[in-house]
Amino acid sequence: MEIIIARDYEEMSKISADIIASQIRKKHDSVLGLATGDTPLGTYKELLRLHREEGLDFSKIKSFNLDEYHGLAPLHPNSYNFFMQEHLFKHINTIPANEFVPQGNTEDPEEFCAWYERKIQEAGGIDLQVLGIGRDGHIAFNEPGSSLASRTRVKALVRKTIEDNARFFSSIDEVPRFAITMGVGTILDARRILLVANGQKKAEVCAQFIEGPVTSQITASALQLHSHVTVVLDEEAASKLQRKDYYNWVRDNKQLVHKKIGR
Ligand code: PGA
């Protein structure tokens, strides 16, 4: 795993957006895996700026979002469909038919999940998957105990996640108890993975998934099994890492390192 420690949220967002933008410039019809939440908001804002000011072209992009609350219609203001429209899609030139977000109010979730997996396959697989991380170590809504081989399915949310997400709803009782989510196995199939995290509240879990053992109790730790993962953290989220000096040395000597590993 490549660990990049940014000064603050702003720098974290800029570095993440640059990674996404260079993927798009390298392959105009890239397939992106996208995430919702507070963490990627700054990254998306920077992508909008790159689109507006530097003409970053999303017209050939396909995107697949990680997850959606079960039971919420796409136009529900708390749905992740709505979030993506508001914070990204309506500001850039993606083609609506190429913006895939799980449909929370589908009548047949099982059939829908199989269809979603098929669509990812038909698109040629995900080139770059963007991830945040929950305080319980989840990636997408793969809560502790999720199979590390899991595919897109309906997952019950844990109490910590429901509490964390209650801030978007008028009461905690309104937070859906289930979500449709890509599985850990689905995520690990992406060719490259970018995980972003910021703030003190993520420090403990970042140390666990980066430097602790691979365990289904912290599903982000499964990223240790992937060959091309970049983690971009702000200083607070990185504060409990044991090997910060090493990560910073690698970052400062990136050209040297990349020459050696051929990237
Ligand atoms: P956050 O959520 O970006 O709002 O902290 C991350 C997550 O739960 O995956």
Side-chain angles (χ1 to χ4, degrees):
M1 273 197 261
E2 179 186 24
I3 313 295
I4 300 175
I5 303 171
R7 262 190 319 276
D8 52 21
Y9 180 78
E10 205 181 331
E11 194 189 33
M12 177 202 83
S13 301
K14 196 172 166 348
I15 294 169
S16 308
D18 282 347
I19 291 171
I20 299 168
S22 66
Q23 169 67 40
I24 296 172
R25 290 193 189 105
K26 195 170 68 189
K27 186 178 173 210
H28 297 293
D29 58 351
S30 286
V31 180
L32 302 179
L34 297 177
T36 51
D38 285 342
T39 314
L41 279 177
T43 304
Y44 294 158
K45 220 165 142 198
E46 175 64 7
L47 285 178
L48 306 191
R49 193 194 66 75
L50 290 172
H51 172 65
R52 211 174 43 239
E53 293 175 16
E54 296 181 23
L56 183 65
D57 180 18
F58 292 82
S59 63
K60 297 201 170 59
I61 292 302
K62 280 202 173 98
S63 68
F64 289 88
N65 262 78
L66 288 168
D67 45 19
E68 176 61 285
Y69 288 117
H70 181 244
L72 296 196
L75 290 178
H76 190 289
N78 286 332
S79 76
Y80 288 164
N81 269 275
F82 190 82
F83 176 103
M84 291 307 296
Q85 291 303 330
E86 284 303 299
H87 296 292
L88 188 65
F89 297 146
K90 80 176 187 191
H91 307 283
I92 57 175
N93 63 334
T94 40
I95 309 291
N98 291 335
E99 302 160 352
F100 294 87
V101 183
Q103 191 190 331
N105 63 346
T106 175
E107 291 200 344
D108 187 342
E110 210 172 310
E111 170 53 34
F112 178 85
C113 293
W115 175 86
Y116 203 68
E117 288 275 340
R118 259 194 327 273
K119 291 313 274 185
I120 296 173
Q121 293 282 321
E122 285 168 17
I126 292 172
D127 292 302
L128 175 63
Q129 175 66 61
V130 180
L131 297 174
I133 184 170
R135 281 192 305 141
D136 65 354
H138 69 211
I139 43 174
F141 273 131
N142 293 290
E143 300 287 37
S146 293
S147 158
L148 300 186
S150 50
R151 312 301 306 186
T152 303
R153 70 215 183 288
V154 174
K155 187 78 196 163
L157 305 183
V158 303
R159 188 73 198 165
K160 211 183 219 180
T161 299
I162 291 168
E163 283 168 8
D164 281 352
N165 292 3
R167 66 190 191 278
F168 301 111
F169 293 81
S170 40
S171 87
I172 194 162
D173 296 332
E174 279 180 30
V175 184
R177 265 37 186 175
F178 296 91
I180 293 176
T181 179
M182 278 189 203
V184 180
T186 319
I187 292 168
L188 291 178
D189 280 350
R191 284 182 268 280
R192 183 175 182 187
I193 295 175
L194 166 66
L195 186 146
V196 279
N198 69 288
Q200 199 59 47
K201 64 182 187 299
K202 301 286 173 71
E204 185 69 42
V205 80
C206 285
Q208 286 171 328
F209 95 86
I210 295 168
E211 295 178 338
V214 174
T215 167
S216 66
Q217 299 308 305
I218 296 171
T219 55
S221 67
L223 300 180
Q224 292 178 29
L225 301 171
H226 193 280
S227 63
H228 198 179
V229 176
T230 304
V231 180
V232 187
L233 308 171
D234 73 349
E235 275 185 1
E236 288 188 2
S239 60
K240 297 207 166 146
L241 293 174
Q242 300 290 318
R243 305 177 64 233
K244 255 191 285 185
D245 290 349
Y246 174 78
Y247 309 135
N248 286 336
W249 185 90
V250 173
R251 185 190 171 180
D252 294 343
N253 293 276
K254 211 167 171 176
Q255 267 164 328
L256 188 69
V257 174
H258 279 202
K259 219 185 278 168
K260 289 259 188 269
I261 63 171
R263 270 193 190 128

